[in-house]
Amino acid sequence: MRTQVAIIGAGPSGLLLSRLLHLSDIDAIVLERRDRAYVEGRIRAGVLEQGTVDLIHQAQAGANMDRNGLVHDGIELSVDGTRHRIDLRELTGGSTVMVYGQTEITKDLNRTHDEMGRGVVFDALDVSLHDIETDTPRVRYHKDGQQHEVVCDFIAGCDGFHGVCRKSIPDPILKTYEKVYPFAWLGILANTPPVSDEIVYARHDRGFALFSMRSKTVSRLYIQCRPDEDLEEWPDDRIWEELQIRLGGDCTNRLETGPSLEKSVTPMRSFVAEPMRHGRLFLAGDAAHIVPPTGAKGLNLAAADVRVLYDALTAFYRSADSGPLDRYSQSCLKRIWKAQRFSWWMTSLLHNFPDASAFDLNIQRAELDYLIGSRAAKTTLAENYVGLPFE
Ligand code: APR
Ligand code: PHB
């Protein structure tokens, strides 16, 4: 078959791009390795910058988000049990974030595809990319035991960190940068009411903890753990106890416990691949970069790539202008490195590093102390948290 843009991966990046292209009458197909239930069942972070919210509206996929998303004016930092508020709205002159689960965004976008009558091809196996350095790249895949080939103008590599697209860029051209952290997050989702109106990021001698939510009745919580942590060793009661200790302050008494609906360990890494374009292949989202979840930037960076790629593809098809496509990698990476810096900084500020020296610990304390006492430092945190402007 022939299409204009072949999109690999039906995560938030692929689905958002496909929807935007459809609304602009640009033909696209989405090829996804897993089935729909799997894709819609993955539980991930849930903090949206205003730019991401705007893009979801542009994709006409924001009705549920508008109904169920929670607008947050601030976040809280808990340092050894004492809470300090960062007033995002006031410090940034009006910006806020929206708390809305990525799982819901994926479902909302899949629903728009159902309405478009242009479904995603799920269970597309053995996807392989060919002739990406020519004007007519091709994608091959298997479905139901049959081989298929898609001839296209462009390939969007939206297939996440473990996908095939990044690996299709030849070694001498692709440069990667990586930092793996010596800890992970153990996350649970529970039918318990939020203990606070706002997200709480907690630094504690026993390790980092995070309190977040999905609604007025569903909480999402995390604790720092070992990267090789065995979930068997973490029955719900032990997790709740640890949360009570680490969140501290009035959270300890207010935290309502309940059975976990989901429990998983998320490894922590910072990763960037450059360039994000090779020939007619464009990488977007987790295929090109990973951030540790401390600043909640993963989905927001993915949406930012999609926005730049969508604008560039529209310029190409509407005005035969390939300039924005040529500048894609450069335009995205400038902002991505800033979000990398912020995510690394928040991670370093709030976690226990097993090999930290007494000097390192004092520096970490001094940094927190400075942050809490300085309006300038809080403003820096706030403007990064709500999302840096696009140039
Ligand atoms: N062929 C087809 N599909 C593939 C292949 C492949 N070889 N490899 C991976 N995929 C699919 C995955 O099954 C997944 O559904 O690509 C999709 C990638 O989705 P995500 O990993 O969610 O990546 P992305 O859409 O870029 O979303 C970024 O999601 O992982 C979070 O923290 C991340 O919030 C960020 C956001
Ligand atoms: C979440 O709600 O899952 C969440 C919130 C903030 C983060 C990471 C995850 O930094």
Side-chain angles (χ1 to χ4, degrees), residues 139-155:
V139 179
R140 289 203 191 118
Y141 65 98
H142 285 104
K143 171 137 176 127
D144 301 328
Q146 293 208 319
Q147 168 142 334
H148 300 264
E149 182 172 277
V150 181
V151 181
C152 54
D153 301 331
F154 298 102
I155 301 173

Side-chain angles (χ1 to χ4, degrees), residues 1-6 27-29 118 150-154 317:
M1 75 169 274
R2 180 85 177 83
T3 188
Q4 288 172 299
V5 184
D27 196 51
I29 182 171
R118 189 169 67 173
V150 181
V151 181
C152 54
D153 301 331
F154 298 102
Y317 284 114

